[in-house]
Amino acid sequence: MKVLIIGGAGYIGSHVTKAMALAGHEVTVFDNLSSGLLVNLLPAAAFIAGDIRHADDISAAFSRGFDACVHLAAFKAVGESMVEPEKYSVNNLSGTINILNAASASGCRKIVFSSSAAVFGSPEYVPIDEDHPKNPESYYGFTKLEIERILAWYDSIRGIKFAALRYFNAAGYDPSGDIVGLERNPQNLLPIVMEVAMGWRKELQIFGNDYDTRDGTCLRDYVHVSDLADAHVNALAYLEREGKSLAVNLGSEKGVTVTEMVEAARRVTGRDIPARYTGRRAGDASSLIPTSALARSLIGWNPRLSDVDTLIKSTWDVYRTYRTPTERA
Ligand code: UDP
């Protein structure tokens, strides 16, 4: 299929681009490079520079004719969304509407959408299944849930079939080393642990050790980004085969606490990784663990790389090739 990958130069998008190309699709990346990186553009993909906030940019891209698109272009910082909601409204919400209108006008009837565990808010029970109540606790999470609802309307009115993939904690890097871009100003645990291991940060702050978990630190489900990428390929095949929309949770179903992650990182990297317990971070749930049974049964998804050691080693193998956060050694 001819597939347009919107946000394909970003961290997850570049892994999706690789997986789609390996699956035999003809891939084109559309990205404004605001957080995506040129170094992430894979030779297998054509590239269109453009911005989803500009309806003309995205219409021009779709007019080239695509069978399907993957939409990963979004702002994703939960904390920022609570202080600058306008950015999230314009990019995540209006940008997605521009995409859907352009897809609709051009006859593209399949979309794989990057959704998030943030649609659920604090769990009322774990593991979280797809029917769990959806009460996002950040504006970011709200934008993802709202887009899922808009997708359902474009499905019923325009016949655009969608796969909403609700990622839990994405981590890791392409194990064969084809993707080496580091996110600028990372906010997530593993990149920050790596920056401490590299000596770019003095220490890791562990946000709270008084949670109701086995060691008091937050329990999360980390899933390898290449496993997530495979889910996009499988989801697209499902849309083609079944002609029906779906929304599924994507996690490894292996809960790991912050302390366990740090200890594993010390072992795998052989570095000290100084860490200090600090207060809780606002908005953190104690445990966020999904069941991915539906993804297994509907799209045949089986994560293969989401064990802690592979997550850390594949990330470390990229970080250690850098001298500074922006300069490769
Ligand atoms: N975390 C931490 N220190 C950091 C960054 C994250 O202790 O510098 C914790 C955070 O409180 C959460 C877990 O690591 O329990 C994963 O956080 P991340 O921001 O990566 O993802 P989230 O679960 O918030 O989507």
Side-chain angles (χ1 to χ4, degrees):
M1 268 184 258
K2 280 184 76 179
V3 183
L4 182 63
I5 303 182
I6 303 164
Y11 167 58
I12 299 179
S14 52
H15 288 84
V16 170
T17 302
K18 177 172 177 177
M20 287 284 177
L22 280 177
H25 295 298
E26 188 183 327
V27 285
T28 301
V29 166
F30 178 101
D31 203 298
N32 68 358
L33 300 177
S34 71
S35 61
L37 299 165
L38 278 173
V39 69
N40 282 345
L41 289 174
L42 295 165
F47 177 59
I48 302 173
D51 195 311
I52 61 170
R53 291 168 290 197
H54 304 143
D56 291 349
D57 284 4
I58 194 73
S59 297
F62 272 101
S63 68
R64 297 188 187 193
F66 291 95
D67 305 300
C69 73
V70 184
H71 170 27
L72 309 108
F75 292 126
K76 60 164 192 171
V78 169
E80 182 189 59
S81 76
M82 300 300 283
V83 288
E84 288 185 75
E86 298 82 3
K87 271 178 76 167
Y88 288 72
S89 300
V90 173
N91 192 76
N92 296 15
L93 291 175
S94 306
T96 301
I97 291 168
N98 289 339
I99 290 170
L100 283 170
N101 290 347
S104 178
S106 74
C108 175
R109 292 280 178 272
K110 288 183 265 304
I111 177 166
V112 180
F113 171 62
S114 295
S115 190
S116 168
V119 300
F120 294 111
S122 273
E124 293 179 16
Y125 57 83
V126 284
I128 298 169
D129 58 18
E130 283 73 7
D131 296 330
H132 184 284
K134 290 160 198 81
N135 297 307
E137 283 169 7
S138 66
Y139 191 67
Y140 163 76
F142 167 79
T143 65
K144 292 290 175 180
L145 181 59
E146 200 62 11
I147 293 165
E148 288 193 9
R149 292 180 173 147
I150 294 169
L151 286 167
W153 281 107
Y154 273 72
D155 176 356
S156 65
I157 301 170
R158 287 280 174 250
I160 296 179
K161 300 300 161 192
F162 69 87
L165 305 182
R166 298 181 186 135
Y167 312 148
F168 279 66
N169 290 59
Y173 269 81
D174 174 38
S176 51
D178 288 340
I179 297 165
V180 296
L182 299 189
E183 282 192 281
R184 290 180 285 250
N185 306 317
Q187 310 281 324
N188 294 113
L189 178 63
L190 200 48
I192 291 174
V193 167
M194 293 291 117
E195 292 199 356
V196 178
M198 290 299 292
W200 301 338
R201 290 181 192 238
K202 204 162 75 12
E203 62 178 13
L204 171 74
Q205 295 184 19
I206 297 180
F207 299 138
N209 61 344
D210 57 351
Y211 287 98
D212 177 23
T213 60
R214 50 188 175 250
D215 60 22
T217 63
C218 290
L219 190 72
R220 291 289 179 274
D221 181 298
Y222 297 89
V223 55
H224 196 286
V225 65
S226 298
D227 286 334
L228 287 181
D230 288 345
H232 295 69
V233 174
N234 296 10
L236 182 55
Y238 175 93
L239 296 180
E240 173 78 349
R241 187 176 68 240
E242 305 288 333
K244 277 196 297 208
S245 297
L246 85 163
V248 290
N249 296 347
L250 296 180
S252 59
E253 301 179 327
K254 294 191 206 49
V256 180
T257 68
V258 178
T259 301
E260 287 166 353
M261 188 62 97
V262 176
E263 279 166 4
R266 288 182 181 130
R267 178 170 47 73
V268 171
T269 64
R271 302 284 174 104
D272 283 346
I273 314 185
R276 178 168 64 88
Y277 295 115
T278 60
R280 292 182 174 200
R281 183 172 70 175
D284 270 342
S286 163
S287 297
L288 273 178
I289 305 293
T291 164
S292 288
L294 195 64
R296 276 197 297 279
S297 69
L298 288 185
I299 63 171
W301 183 64
N302 279 305
R304 300 164 295 118
L305 299 167
S306 296
D307 59 282
V308 173
D309 282 29
T310 305
L311 290 171
I312 295 169
K313 185 170 184 312
S314 62
T315 310
W316 180 236
D317 284 346
V318 172
Y319 271 80
R320 66 202 301 195
T321 65
Y322 281 78
R323 211 190 324 262
T324 69
T326 51
E327 189 192 349
R328 294 196 83 203

